[in-house]
């Protein structure tokens, strides 16, 4: 069958056998799972044996795009990188803005599936149908920036390059995949999975035209969409600060993570905020095909360039008590070079500082110390010594080892460290973290800005509905189309554009009802993947945010004394399950799975847990 919009092919690469095969996949996969995350979870569900060691050759590393990826339309240069996560033991992915997304599609593939393990360090070179397994000996040991630079010198400036740094090589459980000197993805250790396969870099160069059902309409709509984005009132300010203005917003609303999420306000917030950043700013960087370029390039304390956004500044700034933005930028650059996820890293550093303060570890790692932070980051990236090895495992594992109640303030859900919003006062955001597809990440449902306006004190079903609606749109549709959600979220580029663009690309009429159904299917299959992995260990306790937010009220700011209420949270969680069609353990019922056409999931889950009707 001729497909439009999708290329219709996956590239399967086996590193153990130096083999690569292009496969035509069934069109029903495209219609039922769209692309990106939808493809990744479907492939992992179909092909991974439950209980696979995430760092073994049996795990699969997936790069997946969607039917809108790579076209000349707003913010379409995104790629989902996915695998079973070594950090959480569940489904793991992230999206990254990269030329590799565009090049992969132009090379003729909607996804690349990487299996096995190379005998020695290797780089993969994909040029349309030609696949080369390159000796990666000289690359191993380089940081992610150096690796990409070297690959571009060899294969041209327009080559798409995905690389790992020393973090991925040394199997740090929160190592990610980096490109374009600061764009990174795969928070739950997808870089470590790449490292476990001895794969240092993937270079992609494509030369084909993407197949559109209506090429003329596609071109015109794309151009019109770019113009539309630029007419939005918030566009000019967004270009100035990107997500950085959120520092001031979070401070005003007592949700800025501070001192390992003990507080929601930071005494030096102004010094690390959007306006402070503007004084250091030397340029903008962004993902391919984007006219909103939100990467704020500043000069760090070593006079090197670092790309700042809200999450990395909140996590490497206020959360560790560091109020010097140039130093925050330096930590951020070092983390990107090593290929370490800055959100998890900020959690790990904050946890280490608190553990030091409480005498759980011997080392002195003072709050706000740039020097100690940098030294610890280096130890983690190289797994140097006892502490490097310890903290390379993420806060859940560290807390298990240290004990003494530290699991109460190890800030994670399902093993993935919490993103940059304190939730002492925001139950809906806590629910969003707790039920996200990959662990405590904000991407699936950034409900906090709505919640602060709607009233944060209640635990209403309206909030549950809002979380689900956002999860459908963001986690399901945007991650699978695979395009950036920020034009919609941040400047109000209307959702109605996407079915129109999808129609021009694929020829299919997919309205938001159809897209929601697909999103529901993807979300439920992702949940099924988690349950299949955890089996009888799975319980509703997996969907609960960190104990600190329930037990220790914030002590500063206008909301001093606030904390979450556990009984009300549990009731909200049960309401969430009910609306999702899940049982009281958070497991999809047979009826829900069947309604979504996930009959295979019924068969497989039945072997692992008792399924409700
Ligand atoms: S808005 Fe930012 S994250 Fe989104 S595509 Fe553009 S540069 Fe990338």
């Amino acid at each position: 069958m001729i497909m439009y919009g999708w290329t219709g092919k996956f590239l399967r690469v086996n590193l153990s056998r130096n083999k690569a095969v292009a496969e035509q996949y069934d069109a029903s996969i495209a219609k039922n799972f769209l692309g990106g995350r939808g493809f990744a979870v479907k492939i992992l569900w179909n092909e991974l044996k439950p209980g696979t060691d995430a760092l073994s050759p049996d795990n699969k590393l997936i790069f997946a795009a969607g039917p809108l990826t790579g076209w000349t339309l707003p913010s379409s240069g995104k790629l989902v990188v996915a695998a079973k996560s070594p950090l959480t033991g569940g489904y793991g992915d992230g999206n990254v803005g990269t030329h590799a997304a565009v090049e992969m599609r132009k090379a003729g593939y909607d996804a690349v599936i990487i299996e096995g393990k190379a005998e020695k360090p290797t780089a993969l070179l994909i040029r349309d149908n030609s696949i080369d397994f390159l000796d990666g000996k000289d690359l191993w040991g380089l940081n992610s920036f150096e690796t990409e630079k070297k690959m571009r010198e060899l294969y041209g400036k327009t080559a798409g390059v995905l690389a790992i740094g020393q973090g991925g090589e040394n199997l740090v459980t929160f190592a990610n995949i980096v490109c374009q000197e600061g764009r990174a993805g795969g928070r739950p250790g997808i870089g470590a999975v790449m490292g476990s396969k001895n794969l240092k870099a993937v270079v992609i160069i494509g030369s084909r035209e993407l197949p559109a059902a209506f090429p003329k309409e596609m071109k015109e709509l794309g151009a019109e969409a770019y113009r539309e984005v630029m007419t939005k009132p918030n566009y000019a300010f967004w270009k100035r600060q990107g997500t950085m203005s959120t520092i001031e917003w979070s401070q005003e609303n007592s949700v800025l993570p501070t001192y390992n999420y003990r507080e929601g306000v930071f005494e030096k917030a102004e010094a690390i905020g959007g306006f402070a950043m503007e004084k250091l700013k030397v340029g903008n960087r962004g993902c391919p095909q984007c006219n909103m370029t939100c990467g704020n390039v500043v000069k760090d304390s070593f006079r090197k360039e670092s790309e700042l956004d809200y999450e990395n500044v909140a996590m490497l700034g206020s959360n560790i008590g560091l109020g010097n933005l140039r130093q925050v930028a330096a930590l951020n650059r070092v983390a990107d070079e090593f290929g370490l996820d800055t959100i998890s890293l900020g959690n790990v550093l904050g946890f280490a500082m608190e553990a030091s303060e409480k005498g759980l570890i011997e080392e002195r790692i003072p709050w706000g110390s740039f020097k100690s932070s940098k030294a610890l980051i280096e130890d983690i990236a190289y797994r140097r010594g006892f502490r490097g090895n310890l903290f390379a495992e993420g806060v859940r594992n560290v807390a298990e080892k240290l004990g003494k109640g530290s699991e109460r303030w190890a800030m994670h859900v399902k093993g993935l460290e919490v993103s940059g919003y304190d939730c002492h006062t925001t139950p809906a955001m806590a629910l969003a973290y707790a039920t996200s597809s990959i662990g405590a990440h904000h991407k699936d449902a950034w409900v906090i800005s709505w919640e602060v306006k709607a009233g944060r004190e209640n635990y209403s079903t309206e909030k549950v509905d809002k979380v689900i609606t956002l999860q459908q749109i963001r986690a399901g549709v945007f991650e699978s189309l695979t395009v950036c959600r920020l034009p919609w979220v941040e400047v109000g580029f209307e959702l109605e554009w996407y079915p129109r663009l999808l129609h021009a690309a694929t020829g299919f009429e997919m309205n938001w009802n159809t897209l929601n159904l697909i999103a529901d299917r993807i979300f439920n299959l992702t949940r099924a993947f988690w349950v299949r992995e955890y089996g009888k260990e799975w319980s509703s306790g997996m969907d609960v945010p960190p104990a600190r937010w329930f037990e220790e009220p914030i002590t500063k700011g206008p909301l001093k004394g606030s904390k979450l209420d556990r009984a009300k949270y549990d009731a909200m969680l049960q309401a969430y399950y009910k609306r999702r069609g899940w049982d009281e353990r958070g497991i999809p019922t047979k009826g829900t799975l069947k309604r979504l056409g996930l009959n295979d999931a019924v068969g497989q889950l039945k072997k692992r847990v008792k399924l409700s009707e």
Side-chain angles (χ1 to χ4, degrees):
M1 174 187 165
I2 297 174
M3 288 169 81
Y4 296 102
W6 296 275
T7 67
K9 282 198 182 125
F10 294 155
L11 178 70
R12 188 177 295 274
V13 177
N14 190 303
L15 291 170
S16 303
R17 289 189 275 138
N18 278 12
K19 278 211 154 163
V21 187
E23 298 172 353
Q24 188 86 36
Y25 63 86
D26 197 294
S28 65
I29 293 186
K31 281 194 85 175
N32 289 326
F33 292 92
L34 267 186
R37 172 180 275 176
F39 282 176
V41 71
K42 177 69 175 153
I43 293 165
L44 291 172
W45 174 265
N46 283 358
E47 300 188 8
L48 221 60
K49 276 202 195 113
T52 297
D53 176 350
L55 295 177
S56 76
D58 295 333
N59 198 1
K60 304 204 180 195
L61 173 64
I62 318 259
F63 302 139
L68 293 188
T69 309
W71 296 99
T72 309
L73 59 88
S75 311
S76 70
K78 289 277 188 178
L79 191 68
V80 168
V81 297
K84 178 177 170 180
S85 160
L87 182 64
T88 67
Y91 173 77
D93 76 10
N95 83 42
V96 56
T98 168
H99 290 289
V102 184
E103 295 299 314
M104 184 182 89
R105 294 262 291 153
K106 287 192 343 201
Y109 310 111
D110 292 328
V112 175
I113 305 165
I114 299 176
E115 308 173 336
K117 177 181 180 178
E119 227 171 64
K120 50 187 188 350
T122 296
L124 189 65
L125 174 62
I126 301 170
R127 285 178 290 199
D128 293 342
N129 293 340
S130 153
I131 318 297
D132 292 296
F133 297 83
L134 310 173
D135 190 341
K137 184 168 63 82
D138 294 341
L139 299 174
W140 208 256
L142 297 184
N143 71 39
S144 68
F145 291 18
E146 293 162 340
T147 306
E148 176 161 5
K149 191 165 171 248
K150 203 150 194 178
M151 292 286 96
R152 286 191 173 208
E153 277 164 11
L154 288 170
Y155 300 106
K157 280 196 184 122
T158 57
V161 182
L162 299 162
I164 55 168
Q166 295 89 338
E169 290 178 10
N170 295 314
L171 312 182
V172 176
T173 53
F174 49 92
N176 57 14
I177 296 175
V178 183
C179 57
Q180 294 170 218
E181 300 203 349
R183 319 213 72 76
R187 286 196 58 205
I190 309 305
V193 173
M194 190 157 154
S196 75
K197 297 186 175 303
N198 269 335
L199 183 60
K200 179 68 180 175
V202 177
V203 183
I204 314 181
I205 301 163
S207 66
R208 298 172 167 128
E209 289 271 313
L210 287 176
F214 303 104
K216 188 166 168 281
E217 191 187 337
M218 194 69 202
K219 213 169 159 187
E220 286 169 2
L221 259 185
E224 202 186 324
Y226 279 118
R227 285 195 295 274
E228 180 68 21
V229 167
M230 289 168 70
T231 64
K232 301 296 180 195
N234 194 30
Y235 180 76
F237 188 65
W238 172 262
K239 290 279 281 188
R240 274 173 54 191
Q241 294 202 359
T243 56
M244 279 295 296
S245 59
T246 315
I247 293 280
E248 279 90 349
W249 180 87
S250 291
Q251 172 80 354
E252 273 163 30
N253 291 292
S254 298
V255 297
L256 184 66
T258 303
Y259 299 115
N260 196 27
Y261 297 86
R262 276 180 186 160
E263 306 293 346
V265 292
F266 180 45
E267 62 280 9
K268 295 179 187 158
E270 210 183 315
I272 59 166
F275 293 99
M277 181 280 299
E278 281 199 70
K279 291 189 189 130
L280 310 183
K281 188 165 174 172
V282 294
N284 273 69
R285 276 208 293 257
C287 311
Q289 322 288 53
C290 179
N291 63 343
M292 286 178 47
T293 50
C294 68
N296 300 294
V297 183
V298 302
K299 285 274 166 85
D300 69 17
S301 52
F302 300 115
R303 308 299 300 157
K304 288 183 169 178
E305 288 188 351
S306 175
E307 193 179 318
L308 295 182
D309 65 26
Y310 170 72
E311 292 290 336
N312 52 43
V313 173
M315 297 315 302
L316 297 171
S318 54
N319 198 51
I320 63 167
L322 180 58
N324 177 322
L325 193 56
R326 281 200 200 274
Q327 290 182 339
V328 173
L331 295 184
N332 177 59
R333 176 170 170 119
V334 170
D336 283 343
E337 286 176 341
F338 283 139
L340 299 175
D341 172 60
T342 50
I343 297 176
S344 286
L345 185 63
N347 271 276
V348 167
L349 294 176
F351 183 94
M353 288 168 178
E354 187 160 351
S356 164
E357 181 187 63
K358 291 185 162 136
L360 269 65
I361 53 173
E362 278 175 19
E363 285 94 333
R364 218 177 106 56
I365 310 175
W367 290 109
S369 167
F370 171 70
K371 201 168 154 225
S372 302
S373 301
K374 188 163 171 292
L376 183 54
I377 294 171
E378 282 167 14
D379 285 352
I380 290 170
Y382 290 105
R383 282 188 176 266
R384 213 182 266 152
F386 172 76
R387 71 175 202 169
N389 259 309
L390 179 71
F391 289 109
E393 294 295 322
V395 298
R396 176 169 72 175
N397 292 318
V398 181
E400 264 170 31
K401 287 200 180 101
L402 295 184
K404 299 193 178 150
S406 59
E407 69 281 357
R408 320 300 295 171
W409 39 271
M411 303 304 288
H412 71 92
V413 175
K414 303 181 185 72
L416 183 70
E417 288 79 9
V418 176
S419 308
Y421 299 93
D422 184 85
C423 290
H424 277 94
T425 60
T426 51
M429 192 64 218
L431 179 71
Y433 277 145
T435 57
S436 147
S437 311
I438 60 167
H441 195 40
H442 60 290
K443 191 175 60 182
D444 280 7
W446 186 64
V447 72
I448 196 163
S449 66
W450 171 86
E451 184 176 28
V452 163
K453 281 190 217 129
R456 53 178 103 189
E457 53 295 322
N458 74 73
Y459 293 66
S460 64
T461 48
E462 190 196 1
K463 289 194 173 180
V464 171
D465 290 340
K466 188 70 183 179
V467 168
I468 293 175
T469 301
L470 288 177
Q471 286 175 337
Q472 297 289 94
I473 299 171
R474 295 168 62 112
V477 181
F478 278 105
E479 290 303 302
S480 302
L481 279 176
T482 304
V483 291
C484 181
R485 65 198 176 274
L486 294 181
W488 167 60
V489 176
E490 299 291 351
V491 302
F493 179 68
E494 296 80 5
L495 287 177
E496 288 64 38
W497 280 90
Y498 295 97
R500 290 173 69 199
L501 289 162
L502 198 50
H503 176 256
T506 67
F508 291 127
E509 297 279 359
M510 287 190 181
N511 60 26
W512 272 94
N513 289 338
T514 319
L515 291 173
N516 264 319
L517 184 69
I518 296 171
D520 210 6
R521 181 177 299 120
I522 295 167
F523 208 84
N524 274 274
L525 191 61
T526 311
R527 172 62 51 142
F529 185 93
W530 278 92
V531 175
R532 187 174 73 173
E533 288 299 330
Y534 274 80
K536 294 209 164 40
E537 278 177 51
W538 185 272
S539 74
S540 62
M542 300 286 290
D543 292 331
V544 176
R548 164 157 281 168
W549 289 336
F550 295 108
E551 296 172 353
E552 295 174 33
I554 45 177
T555 67
K556 292 185 187 135
L559 298 174
K560 184 177 162 180
S562 303
K563 63 183 171 75
L564 292 180
D565 182 305
R566 181 62 197 260
K568 287 183 187 165
Y569 175 82
D570 285 346
M572 188 165 71
L573 181 62
Q574 287 302 323
Y576 173 92
Y577 288 166
K578 213 167 190 171
R579 280 164 157 74
R580 278 267 175 217
W582 298 352
D583 68 15
E584 68 286 352
R585 299 164 297 170
I587 298 176
T589 63
K590 278 186 203 166
T592 300
L593 294 170
K594 284 183 181 164
R595 175 177 64 80
L596 296 167
L598 298 171
N599 296 333
D600 173 57
V602 175
Q604 289 208 41
L605 284 187
K606 262 191 341 201
K607 294 180 202 153
R608 306 282 292 153
V609 292
K610 193 168 169 355
L611 279 187
S612 309
E613 289 301 319

